[in-house]
Amino acid sequence: LSTAPPPRRTGHALVPRLLGQGYGEAQIAERRRWVEAETGCRLDEVGATTMAGEAMRGNVENPIGAAQVPLGVAGPLEVHGEHARGVFYVPLATTEGALVRSYERGMAAITRAGGATVRLLADENKVCPVLTYTDAAAAVDAARRLPELLPELAAAGGATTRHGRLLAAVPTVVGRRLIVAFSWSTGDAHGMNMIVRGSDAACRLLAERTGAVDRLALSGMSSEKRPSGALLAGGKGKRAVAAVRLPRRVVRAVLGTTAERLAEVWHATVLGHLSAGTIGYNGHLANGLTALFIACGQDVANVVNCAVGVTDLEATAEGDLHASVNLPSLTVATVGGGTGLGTARECLEMLGCAGTGKAPKLAEIVAATLLAGELSFGAAVGSGEMVAAHETYGRNRPDSPAAADSGGDEARAPEAAS
Amino acid sequence: LSTAPPPRRTGHALVPRLLGQGYGEAQIAERRRWVEAETGCRLDEVGATTMAGEAMRGNVENPIGAAQVPLGVAGPLEVHGEHARGVFYVPLATTEGALVRSYERGMAAITRAGGATVRLLADENKVCPVLTYTDAAAAVDAARRLPELLPELAAAGGATTRHGRLLAAVPTVVGRRLIVAFSWSTGDAHGMNMIVRGSDAACRLLAERTGAVDRLALSGMSSEKRPSGALLAGGKGKRAVAAVRLPRRVVRAVLGTTAERLAEVWHATVLGHLSAGTIGYNGHLANGLTALFIACGQDVANVVNCAVGVTDLEATAEGDLHASVNLPSLTVATVGGGTGLGTARECLEMLGCAGTGKAPKLAEIVAATLLAGELSFGAAVGSGEMVAAHETYGRNRPDSPAAADSGGDEARAPEAAS
Amino acid sequence: LSTAPPPRRTGHALVPRLLGQGYGEAQIAERRRWVEAETGCRLDEVGATTMAGEAMRGNVENPIGAAQVPLGVAGPLEVHGEHARGVFYVPLATTEGALVRSYERGMAAITRAGGATVRLLADENKVCPVLTYTDAAAAVDAARRLPELLPELAAAGGATTRHGRLLAAVPTVVGRRLIVAFSWSTGDAHGMNMIVRGSDAACRLLAERTGAVDRLALSGMSSEKRPSGALLAGGKGKRAVAAVRLPRRVVRAVLGTTAERLAEVWHATVLGHLSAGTIGYNGHLANGLTALFIACGQDVANVVNCAVGVTDLEATAEGDLHASVNLPSLTVATVGGGTGLGTARECLEMLGCAGTGKAPKLAEIVAATLLAGELSFGAAVGSGEMVAAHETYGRNRPDSPAAADSGGDEARAPEAAS
Amino acid sequence: LSTAPPPRRTGHALVPRLLGQGYGEAQIAERRRWVEAETGCRLDEVGATTMAGEAMRGNVENPIGAAQVPLGVAGPLEVHGEHARGVFYVPLATTEGALVRSYERGMAAITRAGGATVRLLADENKVCPVLTYTDAAAAVDAARRLPELLPELAAAGGATTRHGRLLAAVPTVVGRRLIVAFSWSTGDAHGMNMIVRGSDAACRLLAERTGAVDRLALSGMSSEKRPSGALLAGGKGKRAVAAVRLPRRVVRAVLGTTAERLAEVWHATVLGHLSAGTIGYNGHLANGLTALFIACGQDVANVVNCAVGVTDLEATAEGDLHASVNLPSLTVATVGGGTGLGTARECLEMLGCAGTGKAPKLAEIVAATLLAGELSFGAAVGSGEMVAAHETYGRNRPDSPAAADSGGDEARAPEAAS
């Protein structure tokens, strides 16, 4: 089979180009019908979106409607950040059964313990273009001139954007190539467009000043949407830490286990991660990130870099639990991208995070939410019962009595929050 | 500020528990109104879902409606797999402007070149529980007995599932702990629930037979939703390769560049990735994966492991381009999870991938789609113009003429497909 | 300066080629004098080697004498392996002050606790050649044929070596390239020569049978002398574990600390390693490996892969310490390479490890030695005093009273061994 | 066997403590005889060192003599650095047959092409102690105070050392722990002792000022003697680049291949490294580093961090080769450690690198040497003949005609240098 020649190809129909790129309701419907005809399927639910077609312009091309993802809510989550202060109810869009319940349980533990402490240590985004020189000496010369050229580069880059501000330019030389890590402050936007454009302007000037023979807008060294050691150590986006000390009694009452057992789970699973050559360590950061990001109109693909982090669980001599999540690359936005669209806007408003000035607050809530998930995950793994792991990954179907029981048990736990 | 004592906490309202866990339409509406009251926001669009509440049971808890994500379509994409054979139109749910256009351009290149070759090399999923023994000698003894015990373990594990089949059990000893990598065939389901349950049963038996003093259902060594070197080398889920040879003229006509330039981009960006200590190498696998996974009801958090891979671009002496994406950990499903829900089901049907027996076909289409994205991304980076990088990450707003032009240019490119 | 043109180059004298490649004593002396004349230095001590020139043939080219490295001895080290059983005194060649003392302290702790348990879980070495095909489908076809071709490949590969035996051939496809991991049993030799040659023969046959268009003897996927996640997860060479349970009183008496403090050091430093994106985790495996490898005529560059491992320190409820080192890629030899040369041969004989049949024994002693070093390192870091870290890295100079004291204190510790 | 109880242990003899810690010739001989008696071996060659016993004080404990490692010489190597300028003959201590010949071949290529360009981009060493606080907020507060405290910390740290100077203090917070990366200028010394001591003093003051409840002198985040992504991206020690452009005819005449073939080898082997989750990319940096480090009295265990780097080989349109090695963590010394001992001192003098002010020069020569090795390795792999890979790893024994021929062929190659 595999070596058979490909079938003779014939003309394949193109997705039709429609008036104004096809963002009108009629055009969207026409395109959807065209897809239905070509593929022989029905797209009724896809078409039943409440988003206006024109609202999607800039977020999607060839629109045919919207995907719907079930949305649950978890809380109360008490947060003591510098931007987010108070109690929150967190929207989570997911199809993974028990995920919302699991995060809710962790939130109950945090809240009952008085809330999570959250801090942001850095708030910058990076782009790393690459310039090529005739030889390594020239690349090094250019690298050495960066400090003196920085003001000029910042001016050139800054001229392309109202919100971005160039903070630093750090060189890496690889043979005759110079990779420059441009760090930017991006305000409340995710900012990749902004800083790619700004960095390109800076880079163009740098190329002129230093005689580069080629340049590329991206080198990949920033680890946007990729995992890397540099991401852990150097960060990208907001660098956040969320931590809580859970009293012994809260660990027992809400998580149904002990601090010592959670520390043991941490210890044993770290050994597993190390044995796999894993980047960082965490329980399931990706789950909460994904659910929150879909709900809140974030760039969901950023889950890949955001999920690079380090979770810590540690028992004190008194049987309390120190827990933290440490996120070197949390990239969130409250303006731009998908943040203004229909349900995303509503979800951001649920958190009091819609619009300008709210990105740090959103980052803190995200970090606290992830901490809740790590606590609950550790408790599930540590319980030693299938139902616990099942709780984490499982389906909560009526024909699955154990899972239903589990849901029931957990459902009671949050009631202890006060 | 940061050292101020937390505000005195008061009783925080719990998300109300409603009849039957609250999956009826009335209960969902009641819960949604409760959230609105607590948070002072409006959730009209969240509530406007076409999914029946009961349909969400097992996929989400505390449901309040659905998140809507703009859905576009890209194609035609010609695939020569062993399961997917023909031309496909691919649903992509995203809010990242220009993403659909970018993938469409790559698909046009592939299709015009006669289609992508796709193969699956392995199809198994892994769970790695950990057992603790009194000492290292006992852990090693247990590891050495695994081959003889495998039939018995397979029987015990297999008894918990209709679809899963235990294929192998590979030991790693870390001091007095034994981590066992249980590999399973999971049919068309994602299968994590299934194989966590099955592995736990096998593990329980193993613990009895070998005198383990403790066991945990998960060790993290499988790298589910995490990046690791083991994932690259050992795989998890479907191991897929998608490749195409683009003739020189197609590179020029559709991608607007040359094979040599794409090879240069590849070379320069690999150096950037290596300099960052990145796991694997790719342009933006995460983007396409996320858009496809949201559309098709996959477990979107799996993007983290699925995006660990290796993209290759290489120019031939004749100026053609060999391109491939190599995905050691592609985890997709066509049954279970969110695959049966409203828009997800419709999107799977668009691809002819709904239901039993379709997971390998879906995996092949995903791999070919990602290949398209890598081609287009490379072309954008290589063009040396801001508009190109912008095309990749950018907003296609009316007030952004360059982007609009770009969109227009690209829009023409696919017309060349025949 | 950096941009100045290079000075006009003139003819540079070549190292003289002498009779029989210059391994006679006279030729070595002549070459050494030539180097002295060219560089204006004196090489008297270099020339004062006891090795016969002809003995160096096959180990070095252009010989001019030998480098001398100070050699100390540490012990007693009690080992309970399957090959090494008893008490050993370990030769360590190093110039790092306090290293020998540090390992000796750890050995005292192990021995007083009754000895280290050591096991080898695998004993195989790998080479991963790469074949190129016309396209990915052909590469996959070849990968799929590996099982059926294995006997034939094993015969072809095995015909090139008396000692090596091909055990397995595991494929990885990257686009149109097929990387094959050939695993070999190599007896007591390091075996890289042997298995490169054997794998090349197998690969040549595989290329013929499957129509490869190119092949390279190495792909780097085996991680010989490089760190990787695959090395951790998949291993290369001997996979060894050494472990000990130190009673509370031994931790106190010999290491001057507590199990809880060592566990705390482990916990805190793992967080540091994770935050750096480190491969694996250990205190200073490289130190002991290097000292032992130089002493025993091993291929010292293999320290890079051998030092990829996982150290574990864990306190029990009773205050004892479970400690282990887990080495997935321990490559040692007792025949071939430098193992038969002068001082190396003597050092191997000190351990009862010279010659055929002794490599597993040597591996076990190395693993136990490294365990000793990790214990002592942890204690030094945990002591919280400069002298402790100094002990680990420091110079033991007469003008450094603290260090001298430290040496003295440590000197007493081993006396407690009984 | 493995579960049998350990044999009853009896008193094990301690290595005897002798007068003045036993550095006199008589004491060394007495200790050696004691070891001979305990282990039943003869240590005649170990005892035949030219180093005075007292000279070893501070470099080794329990001395019994010295290990001898065969020493060859490779050159001429033309270097255009900023510190090393001219032609060098490089001492290499190794037992790996063909290694010297291989490096010599690469040096011939470089020299014939006019020499290697070498630059150092940074010259600093790092230690990363860790402080623990009562909670994460306190750790973050301390991190934020670092800039204001830096002068005071630099004064405290600097008071402990004459040569070291504290350059920077960069924080990483992990929960309630603060890891501080202290960067130091260390002059010509390796400097780990110096900066561990200085950082500990700074850390002690920081702990007082910020109310830390615990501190450890090391966290492992600096990746001393360990591989990590942070090492690649952030560096440690000297950050060096060595590069050369080899004209087409030199590639052919000296390396016996083409730039295109070398680029193909690079491409194919990078894919292998990426597929293994390797940190960085190189051919065999560890080989040259180890041989040079043993010869020159360096801390050989640092090979682990020094070998983390990126090698690049790239063909130009004209068929020339751009080659470079990029070393983010090159840690070398010309004073202290083993640099003043017998043969090490002589080897450093061969390079004009003995003593104060020479460490940057040595770093440049090391980088150029490694470049030579990468070129030769690439050529060997690319030749497609067993003899080539054999040349790299092989034994040059009389009974191995192919290898002897290879040696002969290579021997001719350098004659082309002029």
Side-chain angles (χ1 to χ4, degrees):
Chain A
L1 187 66
S2 63
T3 53
R8 188 78 190 90
R9 71 178 179 281
T10 57
H12 303 308
L14 301 180
V15 179
R17 294 293 177 272
L18 303 163
L19 190 65
Q21 299 273 341
Y23 288 94
E25 309 307 326
Q27 284 85 31
I28 290 175
E30 181 182 345
R31 186 185 294 109
R32 190 169 57 245
R33 283 192 299 270
W34 181 90
V35 171
E36 290 178 329
E38 283 289 323
T39 65
C41 69
R42 293 290 300 272
L43 298 172
D44 296 341
E45 303 208 44
V46 162
T49 178
T50 57
M51 275 183 282
E54 279 300 330
M56 297 191 207
R57 190 185 290 273
N59 289 113
V60 75
E61 296 79 44
N62 298 349
I64 57 174
Q68 296 179 32
V69 184
L71 186 72
V73 61
L77 171 65
E78 185 166 340
V79 180
H80 301 289
E82 294 176 320
H83 307 276
R85 300 184 70 84
V87 172
F88 300 91
Y89 296 87
V90 180
L92 298 166
T94 186
T95 60
E96 184 177 353
L99 185 147
V100 172
R101 193 64 82 218
S102 177
Y103 276 79
E104 185 183 59
R105 181 169 70 161
M107 291 174 181
I110 289 171
T111 301
R112 200 163 163 188
T117 300
V118 192
R119 294 291 182 275
L120 305 182
L121 275 102
D123 185 1
E124 58 187 27
N125 210 339
K126 290 181 190 167
V127 168
C128 305
V130 55
L131 298 102
T132 304
Y133 293 85
T134 52
D135 61 17
V140 170
D141 286 344
R144 289 174 175 168
R145 289 187 58 197
L146 270 179
E148 99 196 34
L149 291 172
L150 185 58
E152 205 178 349
L153 301 179
T160 66
T161 162
R162 267 175 311 164
H163 301 293
R165 194 162 49 85
L166 181 61
L167 304 173
V170 177
T172 296
V173 173
V174 185
R176 64 197 183 106
R177 289 192 176 85
L178 168 64
I179 301 172
V180 184
F182 286 111
S183 290
W184 294 77
S185 161
T186 65
D188 293 296
H190 181 287
M192 280 304 290
N193 292 348
M194 174 201 305
I195 72 175
V196 169
R197 194 168 54 235
S199 298
D200 195 63
C203 198
R204 189 184 304 254
L205 183 66
L206 179 61
E208 285 173 24
R209 290 284 185 274
T210 57
V213 297
D214 191 18
R215 89 195 135 76
L216 297 175
L218 300 173
S219 69
M221 201 175 163
S222 73
S223 302
E224 170 79 1
K225 300 179 182 175
R226 294 178 212 96
S228 75
L231 209 57
L232 276 161
K236 177 183 192 306
K238 291 167 178 63
R239 184 178 271 266
V241 53
V244 72
R245 177 171 180 152
L246 295 188
R248 176 188 197 76
R249 62 177 173 82
V250 173
V251 178
R252 168 58 67 193
V254 185
L255 299 179
T257 183
T258 63
E260 290 76 15
R261 182 59 174 170
L262 286 167
E264 154 72 15
V265 167
W266 185 88
H267 189 108
T269 52
V270 164
L271 294 176
H273 286 221
L274 291 169
S275 299
T278 309
I279 287 283
Y281 167 76
N282 71 83
H284 67 149
L285 293 180
N287 278 332
L289 280 164
T290 303
L292 243 164
F293 277 22
I294 295 176
C296 294
Q298 305 298 301
D299 189 339
V300 185
N302 275 120
V303 166
V304 177
N305 51 285
C306 294
V308 171
V310 175
T311 293
D312 189 23
L313 302 180
E314 192 180 21
T316 70
E318 305 84 36
D320 293 353
L321 182 79
H322 276 294
S324 68
V325 293
N326 303 277
L327 308 167
S329 180
L330 187 53
T331 42
V332 299
T334 57
V335 300
T339 59
L341 288 173
T343 57
R345 177 86 187 184
E346 291 181 350
C347 288
L348 286 171
E349 283 171 352
M350 260 180 76
L351 298 170
C353 287
T356 301
K358 299 298 188 189
K361 182 180 179 185
L362 178 58
E364 291 183 346
I365 296 170
V366 172
T369 299
L370 298 186
L371 177 60
E374 296 296 278
L375 290 169
S376 197
F377 184 88
V381 173
S383 74
E385 293 304 316
M386 190 48 227
V387 63
H390 186 85
E391 177 250 41
T392 306
Y393 285 119
R395 293 302 300 267
N396 202 15
R397 292 272 185 222
D399 60 353
S400 172
D405 285 356
S406 169
D409 288 346
E410 291 166 74
R412 279 191 298 277
E415 294 168 6
S418 61
Chain B
L1 185 64
S2 63
T3 54
R8 187 75 189 93
R9 69 177 180 283
T10 57
H12 302 309
L14 301 181
V15 179
R17 293 295 177 272
L18 303 165
L19 189 66
Q21 298 273 342
Y23 288 95
E25 308 306 327
Q27 284 86 30
I28 291 174
E30 182 182 346
R31 186 185 295 108
R32 189 168 58 244
R33 284 192 298 271
W34 181 91
V35 172
E36 290 178 329
E38 282 289 322
T39 65
C41 69
R42 294 289 299 272
L43 299 172
D44 297 340
E45 303 207 45
V46 162
T49 177
T50 57
M51 275 182 282
E54 280 299 331
M56 298 190 206
R57 189 185 291 272
N59 290 111
V60 74
E61 295 80 45
N62 297 350
I64 56 173
Q68 295 179 32
V69 183
L71 186 73
V73 61
L77 170 64
E78 185 167 337
V79 180
H80 300 290
E82 293 176 319
H83 306 276
R85 301 184 70 86
V87 172
F88 299 91
Y89 296 87
V90 180
L92 297 167
T94 186
T95 60
E96 184 176 353
L99 185 146
V100 172
R101 194 64 82 218
S102 177
Y103 276 79
E104 184 183 60
R105 180 170 70 162
M107 290 174 182
I110 289 172
T111 300
R112 200 164 163 185
T117 299
V118 191
R119 294 290 181 277
L120 305 182
L121 276 99
D123 185 0
E124 59 187 24
N125 211 338
K126 289 180 191 168
V127 168
C128 305
V130 54
L131 299 102
T132 304
Y133 293 85
T134 51
D135 61 17
V140 170
D141 286 343
R144 289 174 176 170
R145 289 186 58 196
L146 270 179
E148 100 196 33
L149 291 171
L150 185 57
E152 207 178 347
L153 301 178
T160 67
T161 164
R162 268 174 309 164
H163 300 294
R165 194 162 49 86
L166 180 60
L167 305 173
V170 177
T172 296
V173 173
V174 185
R176 63 195 184 107
R177 288 191 177 86
L178 168 64
I179 301 172
V180 184
F182 286 110
S183 290
W184 293 77
S185 162
T186 65
D188 294 297
H190 181 286
M192 279 305 287
N193 293 348
M194 173 199 309
I195 72 175
V196 169
R197 195 168 53 235
S199 298
D200 195 62
C203 198
R204 188 184 304 253
L205 182 66
L206 179 62
E208 284 172 24
R209 290 281 186 276
T210 57
V213 298
D214 192 17
R215 88 196 137 75
L216 297 175
L218 301 173
S219 68
M221 201 174 163
S222 73
S223 301
E224 170 78 2
K225 301 178 181 175
R226 296 180 210 92
S228 76
L231 209 56
L232 276 161
K236 178 185 192 305
K238 291 168 178 61
R239 183 175 272 267
V241 53
V244 70
R245 178 171 180 152
L246 296 187
R248 177 188 196 78
R249 62 179 173 80
V250 173
V251 178
R252 169 57 67 196
V254 185
L255 300 178
T257 184
T258 63
E260 290 76 15
R261 183 58 173 171
L262 286 167
E264 153 72 16
V265 168
W266 186 88
H267 189 108
T269 52
V270 163
L271 293 176
H273 287 219
L274 290 170
S275 298
T278 310
I279 287 282
Y281 167 77
N282 70 83
H284 67 147
L285 293 181
N287 279 332
L289 279 164
T290 304
L292 244 165
F293 276 22
I294 295 176
C296 295
Q298 305 298 301
D299 188 341
V300 185
N302 275 120
V303 166
V304 177
N305 52 283
C306 295
V308 171
V310 176
T311 294
D312 188 24
L313 302 180
E314 192 180 20
T316 68
E318 304 83 37
D320 292 353
L321 181 79
H322 276 294
S324 68
V325 293
N326 303 276
L327 307 166
S329 180
L330 187 53
T331 42
V332 299
T334 56
V335 300
T339 58
L341 289 172
T343 57
R345 175 88 187 181
E346 291 182 350
C347 288
L348 286 171
E349 284 171 352
M350 261 180 75
L351 299 169
C353 288
T356 302
K358 300 298 189 189
K361 181 180 180 185
L362 178 58
E364 291 183 344
I365 296 170
V366 171
T369 299
L370 297 185
L371 177 61
E374 295 297 278
L375 289 169
S376 197
F377 185 88
V381 173
S383 75
E385 292 307 313
M386 189 46 227
V387 65
H390 185 84
E391 176 250 41
T392 307
Y393 285 119
R395 292 302 302 268
N396 203 12
R397 292 272 186 222
D399 61 352
S400 174
D405 286 354
S406 169
D409 289 346
E410 291 166 74
R412 279 192 297 278
E415 295 168 2
S418 60
Chain C
L1 185 63
S2 64
T3 54
R8 188 77 189 89
R9 70 177 180 282
T10 57
H12 302 308
L14 302 180
V15 179
R17 293 294 177 271
L18 303 165
L19 188 66
Q21 298 273 342
Y23 287 94
E25 307 308 325
Q27 284 85 31
I28 290 174
E30 183 182 343
R31 186 184 295 109
R32 189 168 58 244
R33 282 191 300 272
W34 181 90
V35 171
E36 290 178 328
E38 283 289 323
T39 64
C41 70
R42 293 291 298 272
L43 298 172
D44 296 341
E45 303 206 44
V46 162
T49 177
T50 57
M51 274 183 282
E54 279 300 331
M56 298 190 206
R57 190 185 290 274
N59 290 112
V60 73
E61 295 80 45
N62 298 350
I64 57 173
Q68 296 179 32
V69 183
L71 185 73
V73 61
L77 171 63
E78 186 166 339
V79 180
H80 300 290
E82 293 174 321
H83 306 276
R85 300 185 71 84
V87 173
F88 299 91
Y89 295 87
V90 179
L92 297 167
T94 185
T95 60
E96 185 177 353
L99 184 146
V100 172
R101 193 64 82 218
S102 176
Y103 277 78
E104 185 182 59
R105 182 169 69 162
M107 290 174 182
I110 288 172
T111 300
R112 201 165 162 187
T117 300
V118 192
R119 295 291 181 274
L120 305 182
L121 276 100
D123 184 1
E124 59 186 26
N125 210 339
K126 288 181 191 168
V127 168
C128 305
V130 54
L131 299 103
T132 304
Y133 292 85
T134 50
D135 62 17
V140 170
D141 285 343
R144 289 173 175 171
R145 289 187 58 197
L146 270 180
E148 101 197 32
L149 290 172
L150 185 57
E152 206 179 349
L153 301 178
T160 67
T161 162
R162 269 174 308 164
H163 301 293
R165 195 161 50 86
L166 181 60
L167 305 173
V170 177
T172 297
V173 172
V174 186
R176 61 195 184 109
R177 289 191 177 85
L178 168 64
I179 301 172
V180 183
F182 286 112
S183 290
W184 293 77
S185 161
T186 65
D188 293 297
H190 181 286
M192 280 304 288
N193 292 349
M194 173 201 307
I195 72 176
V196 169
R197 194 168 52 235
S199 298
D200 194 64
C203 197
R204 188 184 304 255
L205 182 66
L206 179 61
E208 284 173 22
R209 290 283 185 276
T210 57
V213 297
D214 191 17
R215 89 197 135 76
L216 297 175
L218 302 173
S219 68
M221 202 177 163
S222 73
S223 301
E224 169 80 1
K225 300 178 179 175
R226 295 178 211 95
S228 76
L231 209 56
L232 276 161
K236 177 183 192 306
K238 290 166 179 63
R239 184 175 269 266
V241 53
V244 71
R245 178 171 180 152
L246 296 187
R248 178 186 194 78
R249 62 179 172 79
V250 173
V251 177
R252 168 56 69 195
V254 185
L255 299 178
T257 185
T258 63
E260 290 76 16
R261 182 60 172 168
L262 287 168
E264 153 72 17
V265 168
W266 185 88
H267 190 107
T269 52
V270 163
L271 293 176
H273 287 222
L274 290 169
S275 298
T278 308
I279 287 282
Y281 167 76
N282 70 84
H284 67 148
L285 293 181
N287 278 333
L289 279 165
T290 304
L292 244 165
F293 276 23
I294 295 176
C296 295
Q298 305 298 301
D299 189 339
V300 184
N302 275 120
V303 165
V304 177
N305 52 284
C306 294
V308 172
V310 175
T311 293
D312 188 23
L313 302 180
E314 192 180 21
T316 70
E318 304 84 36
D320 293 352
L321 181 79
H322 276 294
S324 67
V325 293
N326 304 276
L327 307 167
S329 180
L330 186 53
T331 42
V332 299
T334 56
V335 300
T339 59
L341 288 173
T343 57
R345 174 88 188 183
E346 290 182 352
C347 288
L348 286 171
E349 284 171 351
M350 262 180 76
L351 298 169
C353 287
T356 301
K358 300 298 189 188
K361 182 180 179 185
L362 178 58
E364 291 183 344
I365 297 170
V366 171
T369 298
L370 298 186
L371 177 60
E374 296 296 279
L375 289 170
S376 196
F377 185 88
V381 173
S383 75
E385 293 305 314
M386 189 48 224
V387 65
H390 186 85
E391 178 247 41
T392 305
Y393 285 121
R395 292 304 300 268
N396 202 13
R397 291 276 186 219
D399 61 353
S400 173
D405 285 355
S406 168
D409 288 346
E410 292 165 73
R412 279 193 297 276
E415 293 168 5
S418 61
Chain D
L1 185 65
S2 63
T3 54
R8 188 77 190 89
R9 69 178 181 282
T10 58
H12 302 308
L14 302 180
V15 179
R17 293 295 178 269
L18 304 164
L19 189 67
Q21 298 273 342
Y23 287 95
E25 308 307 326
Q27 284 86 29
I28 290 175
E30 183 182 344
R31 186 185 294 108
R32 191 167 58 243
R33 282 192 300 272
W34 181 90
V35 171
E36 289 178 330
E38 282 289 322
T39 64
C41 70
R42 294 289 301 273
L43 298 173
D44 297 340
E45 302 206 45
V46 162
T49 177
T50 57
M51 275 184 281
E54 279 299 331
M56 297 190 206
R57 190 185 289 274
N59 290 111
V60 75
E61 295 80 44
N62 298 350
I64 56 171
Q68 295 179 32
V69 183
L71 186 71
V73 60
L77 172 64
E78 186 166 338
V79 180
H80 300 289
E82 293 175 320
H83 306 276
R85 299 185 71 85
V87 174
F88 299 91
Y89 295 87
V90 180
L92 297 168
T94 186
T95 60
E96 185 178 352
L99 185 147
V100 172
R101 193 66 81 217
S102 177
Y103 277 79
E104 185 182 60
R105 181 169 72 163
M107 291 175 180
I110 288 171
T111 300
R112 200 162 164 189
T117 299
V118 191
R119 294 292 182 274
L120 305 183
L121 277 101
D123 186 0
E124 60 186 26
N125 209 339
K126 288 180 190 167
V127 169
C128 305
V130 54
L131 298 102
T132 304
Y133 293 84
T134 51
D135 62 17
V140 170
D141 285 344
R144 289 173 175 170
R145 289 187 57 197
L146 271 180
E148 102 197 32
L149 290 171
L150 185 57
E152 205 178 349
L153 300 179
T160 67
T161 162
R162 270 175 307 164
H163 300 293
R165 194 160 52 85
L166 181 60
L167 304 173
V170 178
T172 297
V173 172
V174 185
R176 64 196 184 108
R177 290 192 175 85
L178 168 64
I179 301 173
V180 185
F182 286 112
S183 290
W184 293 78
S185 161
T186 65
D188 294 297
H190 181 286
M192 280 304 288
N193 291 348
M194 172 199 307
I195 71 175
V196 169
R197 195 168 52 236
S199 298
D200 194 64
C203 197
R204 189 184 304 254
L205 183 67
L206 179 61
E208 285 173 24
R209 291 282 185 277
T210 57
V213 297
D214 191 18
R215 88 196 135 77
L216 297 175
L218 301 173
S219 69
M221 202 176 162
S222 72
S223 301
E224 169 80 1
K225 301 179 180 174
R226 294 178 212 94
S228 76
L231 209 57
L232 276 161
K236 177 183 192 304
K238 291 165 178 64
R239 185 177 269 269
V241 53
V244 70
R245 178 172 180 153
L246 296 187
R248 177 187 195 76
R249 63 180 170 78
V250 173
V251 178
R252 169 58 67 195
V254 185
L255 299 179
T257 183
T258 63
E260 289 76 15
R261 182 60 174 169
L262 286 167
E264 153 71 16
V265 168
W266 186 87
H267 189 109
T269 52
V270 163
L271 294 176
H273 287 220
L274 291 169
S275 299
T278 308
I279 287 282
Y281 167 78
N282 70 83
H284 67 149
L285 292 180
N287 278 332
L289 280 164
T290 303
L292 243 165
F293 276 23
I294 295 176
C296 295
Q298 305 298 301
D299 189 339
V300 184
N302 276 119
V303 166
V304 177
N305 51 284
C306 295
V308 171
V310 176
T311 294
D312 188 22
L313 302 179
E314 193 180 20
T316 70
E318 305 83 37
D320 293 353
L321 182 79
H322 277 295
S324 68
V325 293
N326 303 277
L327 307 166
S329 180
L330 187 53
T331 43
V332 299
T334 57
V335 300
T339 59
L341 288 172
T343 57
R345 175 87 187 182
E346 290 181 352
C347 287
L348 286 170
E349 284 172 350
M350 260 180 74
L351 298 170
C353 287
T356 302
K358 300 298 189 188
K361 181 180 180 186
L362 178 58
E364 291 183 346
I365 295 171
V366 171
T369 298
L370 297 186
L371 177 60
E374 296 295 278
L375 290 170
S376 197
F377 185 88
V381 173
S383 75
E385 292 305 313
M386 189 49 226
V387 64
H390 187 84
E391 176 249 41
T392 307
Y393 285 122
R395 293 302 302 270
N396 203 10
R397 292 274 185 219
D399 61 352
S400 173
D405 285 355
S406 169
D409 288 347
E410 291 167 75
R412 280 192 297 278
E415 294 168 4
S418 60

